[in-house]
Amino acid sequence: MAAHLVPWRTAWDAALYGDDGFFRTSRPADHFRTSAHVGTFAVAVAELARRTGAATVVDLGAGGGELLTALHGLLPGVALVGVEIAPRPPALPADVAWTSALPERVTGLVVANEWLDNLPCTVVERDDDGVDREVLVDPATGEEALGDVHDPGWTRRWWTPGAAGERSEDGAPRDAAWADVVARVDGVAVAIDYGHLAGDRPPFGTLRSYLGGREVDVRPDGSRDVTAHVAVDAVAAAVGGRLVRQRDALAELGVDGARPPIDLARSDPSAYVRALSRAGEAAELTARGGLGDFWWIVTDTRHGTLTA
């Protein structure tokens, strides 16, 4: 039987967001760990909200509501909103709002942690004749073939495949999606993700799948996450955003991975244990080769800076 081939972007969208898609049927925390699952990350987001005078904090792509639950105890009086297609988490505090669509206007702070990497892109491959073509895929098996010639508008500027067999992911939909978010914000919008810059693009693309805490074969069948790294410089250019590594952004917000003084262990053992835990979380969030290498794309629609 011939494979049922469709454009990668179409299959990817259905796999994650269709009626039986991964994000409608799965709890992300069961499959991968993000900054939102580390308590000190919420402390940093709360500090950013305070510095910018945010009346509202919106978590775009809120997953299981972990970040919002932590913020609830840190930001009394600040409206908290989760945006996610999955049902409302049962343990979410009652006064935290939950919606499937971003509000038309947000006065405050919008945080999108590992949201852009899950926005589907057209996958492009250069054929043996030097022509860039859209890649097709069978969602059930992951089998691929080359399709029509690809419109090079975005890739010509940001990420053109080189030799035959090299690939790119056309980030135009991500640029447009984040520009739409930023246009709704009176305050600060921050997209946080793993990504790459011009001059250091991966030659064979970055499609990945995760399931049950480990990387698995890439297949857009709805059973697993499908993700790809973000061309963060292109997104930043679309919104006039500032690019900063997570380790540097968190340092600006007071996150310190230094171990507490050993004298504290003698004078206040409980405080020492809490401080040691915070230091361990800070180290995880700022680690080189890990979460610390993530990019923050920061747009302050009032000041153009990270802090107010």
Side-chain angles (χ1 to χ4, degrees):
M1 181 180 295
H4 175 59
L5 298 173
V6 297
W8 243 110
R9 185 180 176 189
T10 301
W12 188 348
D13 184 72
L16 297 186
Y17 306 110
D19 291 343
D20 297 317
F22 180 80
F23 285 127
R24 294 189 186 273
T25 60
S26 299
R27 182 173 175 267
D30 292 337
H31 301 281
F32 41 81
R33 181 173 172 84
T34 75
S35 295
H37 303 133
V38 183
T40 300
F41 182 73
V43 175
V45 173
E47 177 62 17
L48 179 57
R50 294 188 196 99
R51 292 188 188 184
T52 56
T56 301
V57 176
V58 176
D59 184 6
L60 177 56
E66 295 87 356
L67 175 60
L68 293 166
T69 298
L71 289 174
H72 185 259
L74 297 170
L75 292 173
V78 174
L80 301 176
V81 181
V83 180
E84 183 58 80
I85 63 169
R88 179 187 180 91
L92 196 69
D95 55 342
V96 175
W98 192 262
T99 178
S100 62
L102 185 69
E104 287 298 318
R105 300 300 306 168
V106 177
T107 301
L109 172 64
V110 173
V111 177
N113 181 55
E114 295 195 46
W115 178 70
L116 284 171
D117 65 279
N118 286 126
L119 293 190
C121 300
T122 297
V123 179
V124 181
E125 181 174 320
R126 179 152 292 186
D127 69 14
D128 291 338
D129 297 320
V131 177
D132 294 338
R133 296 186 177 276
E134 183 172 10
V135 180
L136 309 179
V137 63
D138 179 351
T141 66
E143 180 182 340
E144 294 179 334
L146 297 185
D148 293 339
V149 174
H150 175 65
D151 179 350
W154 185 92
T155 54
R156 181 185 293 118
R157 178 180 180 188
W158 292 109
W159 188 2
T160 302
E166 291 193 5
R167 287 188 170 192
S168 66
E169 291 113 21
D170 187 325
R174 292 171 169 180
D175 296 355
W178 189 241
D180 177 64
V181 172
V182 170
R184 301 178 189 219
V185 178
D186 296 318
V188 178
V190 184
I192 304 167
D193 238 307
Y194 42 86
H196 42 68
L197 302 171
D200 193 29
R201 308 285 193 214
F204 299 103
T206 63
L207 280 172
R208 301 287 188 275
S209 281
Y210 296 90
L211 180 67
R214 62 188 180 89
E215 188 170 349
V216 295
D217 292 341
V218 181
R219 192 164 68 239
D221 62 358
S223 70
R224 61 202 66 196
D225 182 32
V226 179
T227 177
H229 290 49
V230 179
V232 291
D233 45 353
V235 178
V239 297
R242 172 192 173 199
L243 278 175
V244 56
R245 293 285 192 180
Q246 173 154 295
R247 56 179 169 269
D248 299 321
L250 294 182
E252 289 185 42
L253 293 168
V255 173
D256 182 3
R259 293 173 63 90
I262 193 64
D263 288 348
L264 184 62
R266 291 187 286 269
S267 62
D268 191 341
S270 296
Y272 178 78
V273 170
R274 291 193 298 271
L276 195 62
S277 176
R278 289 194 297 269
E281 291 180 345
E284 180 182 0
L285 290 168
T286 59
R288 293 181 181 273
L291 294 174
D293 286 347
F294 277 42
W295 290 99
W296 286 35
I297 306 167
V298 184
T299 306
D300 186 327
T301 62
R302 305 157 306 166
H303 308 294
T305 58
L306 178 62
T307 55

